[in-house]
Amino acid sequence: MTQPAPTPNSVPPQAPACAHGRPLRLRTMLAPLLTVLCALGSPAHAASPAGTYPERPVTIVVPFAAGGASDVLGRQLGKQLELALGQSFVVDNRVGAGGTVGAASAARATPDGYTLVIGTNASHAIAATIHRKLRYDPLKDFVPVTLVAHVPQVLMVHPSVPVSNVQELIAFARKHPGKLNFSSAGNGTPGHLGMELFKMMAQVDMVHVPFQGGNPALLALTGGQVEVLADNVNSALPMIKAGKVKAIAVTSAKRSGALPDLPTIAEQGVAGFDSGSWFALFAPAGTPAPVVARLNAETIKALNNPTVRSTLASQGAEPEAGTPEALTQLIHSDIAKWGAVVKKIGLTAD
């Protein structure tokens, strides 16, 4: 026999299914709240962070000035990630203190994948060896995404210096100890410490003259105020091609694609010498692992794009992506390497 349908007032309001088993009165009172809680626990709200990431524009902090190697790499990478992920990747140049100002700001950002930073061996290795009061820990406050590129440096001399290769430079420096001056972008920069390492390994005496940035250091060389400089390939190329400086070696372990005929310092008799700059992508510590994994995968795809590789190579960069673990190992290695140099020369920045 069919039962009559209940009137609207004959049945109390029903709590959602996840509240069944509670006393009737309590279910009635908590029904609105439990409805919200059940909705938040539904599959629509429990999706993996990487499943919908990114849902809004992403900021890439570049801790150096516009136009430099970090800026160029950050913009190239951002453009490719935009195409792959369908959201804007906006570069934010936060300049100061050898990259540590921008790195510190990124370390304090919300760890949700919407703030990234282009770190370098200056900001994420060397800084830890010279700053006793560094406002971040390169290893604890960041999660590595991937290495992006190496940028070799070129060892150059002013045309007035009567040398054309590394062995001649060593011989001249030993004959005239303390006579040669070398410039750099500042104390503790890769160019400075690379030359200090060269002095130690080649057993020569040259005087360091720090400047406020790479461009003034290069102008000091072309103008004859200093005799020697090791600078990034992309910055040095125009001056080399114009004949305003003499390039005598590449500082990295292997030759530069931008200067394939120029031997390395190691090839010219200083065995094991390796110096230069590297650039990598980091996120604040605590960024969800699925987001980091997706950024790693998409960055590797971008750096394997022939057009991207060609563009970066034309600017002196050597694209090189890898795992987060490999980047962590590189940081450990560089902190040990440059820490020994810093200790030897007694350099501190605080």
Side-chain angles (χ1 to χ4, degrees):
M1 181 176 178
T2 304
Q3 297 291 328
T7 63
N9 294 326
S10 63
V11 179
Q14 294 297 306
C18 66
H20 289 172
R22 297 181 183 275
L24 180 60
R25 185 176 179 183
L26 183 59
R27 295 206 311 270
T28 302
M29 294 172 61
L30 295 180
L33 176 60
L34 291 170
T35 299
V36 173
L37 293 176
C38 288
L40 290 175
S42 68
H45 290 267
S48 165
T52 56
Y53 172 85
E55 298 179 297
R56 62 180 190 273
V58 178
T59 296
I60 300 179
V61 174
V62 171
F64 295 95
S70 294
D71 185 66
V72 170
L73 288 167
R75 293 180 189 279
Q76 286 288 335
L77 180 58
K79 185 185 302 182
Q80 295 303 312
L81 291 176
E82 282 184 7
L83 294 174
L85 298 175
Q87 282 288 351
S88 298
F89 280 71
V90 182
V91 168
D92 179 8
N93 296 95
R94 298 195 182 185
V95 183
T100 62
V101 170
S105 70
R108 295 190 297 268
T110 303
D112 54 8
Y114 289 93
T115 299
L116 309 173
V117 61
I118 297 292
T120 70
N121 51 340
S123 63
H124 279 69
I126 294 173
T129 70
I130 64 175
H131 290 275
R132 290 173 295 182
K133 299 178 181 178
L134 192 62
R135 292 183 293 165
Y136 59 90
D137 186 312
L139 291 163
K140 295 180 180 179
D141 292 339
F142 295 91
V143 55
V145 177
T146 178
L147 183 66
V148 174
H150 282 282
V151 176
Q153 293 184 331
V154 183
L155 181 60
M156 301 169 285
V157 298
H158 187 266
S160 64
V161 182
V163 305
S164 57
N165 58 52
V166 170
Q167 286 303 318
E168 290 179 357
L169 175 63
I170 292 173
F172 185 87
R174 288 177 178 172
K175 187 176 181 180
H176 306 280
K179 180 178 180 179
L180 294 178
N181 298 322
F182 71 92
S183 59
S184 79
N187 283 316
T189 57
H192 170 212
L193 295 187
M195 284 302 299
E196 294 291 353
L197 179 63
F198 176 76
K199 287 169 54 180
M200 291 164 57
M201 295 181 69
Q203 300 179 357
V204 296
D205 179 18
M206 292 187 283
V207 179
H208 178 221
V209 183
F211 286 81
Q212 294 297 317
N215 191 54
L218 182 57
L219 291 176
L221 178 67
T222 59
Q225 285 80 42
V226 298
E227 292 79 31
V228 185
L229 169 66
D231 196 14
N232 290 339
V233 170
N234 60 320
S235 302
L237 275 175
M239 297 301 181
I240 295 172
K241 292 178 179 179
K244 295 185 177 182
V245 298
K246 287 192 293 185
I248 63 173
V250 176
T251 66
S252 53
K254 61 182 181 179
R255 296 191 184 193
S256 167
L259 294 166
D261 296 326
L262 187 63
T264 67
I265 290 177
E267 286 180 290
Q268 296 187 61
V270 186
F273 187 88
D274 182 12
S275 178
S277 300
W278 53 255
F279 302 82
L281 187 64
F282 295 87
T287 300
V291 171
V292 174
R294 188 168 190 195
L295 286 168
N296 174 273
E298 295 297 344
T299 301
I300 290 174
K301 288 180 184 177
L303 294 175
N304 284 332
N305 182 302
T307 301
V308 174
R309 296 187 71 84
S310 176
T311 299
L312 294 181
S314 70
Q315 297 163 343
E318 310 280 349
E320 186 177 343
T323 65
E325 293 76 16
L327 178 53
T328 298
Q329 182 56 47
L330 176 61
I331 297 170
H332 279 290
S333 175
D334 263 20
I335 288 175
K337 174 180 179 177
W338 298 118
V341 176
V342 166
K343 184 177 180 180
K344 177 74 173 180
I345 64 177
L347 178 65
T348 61
D350 299 313

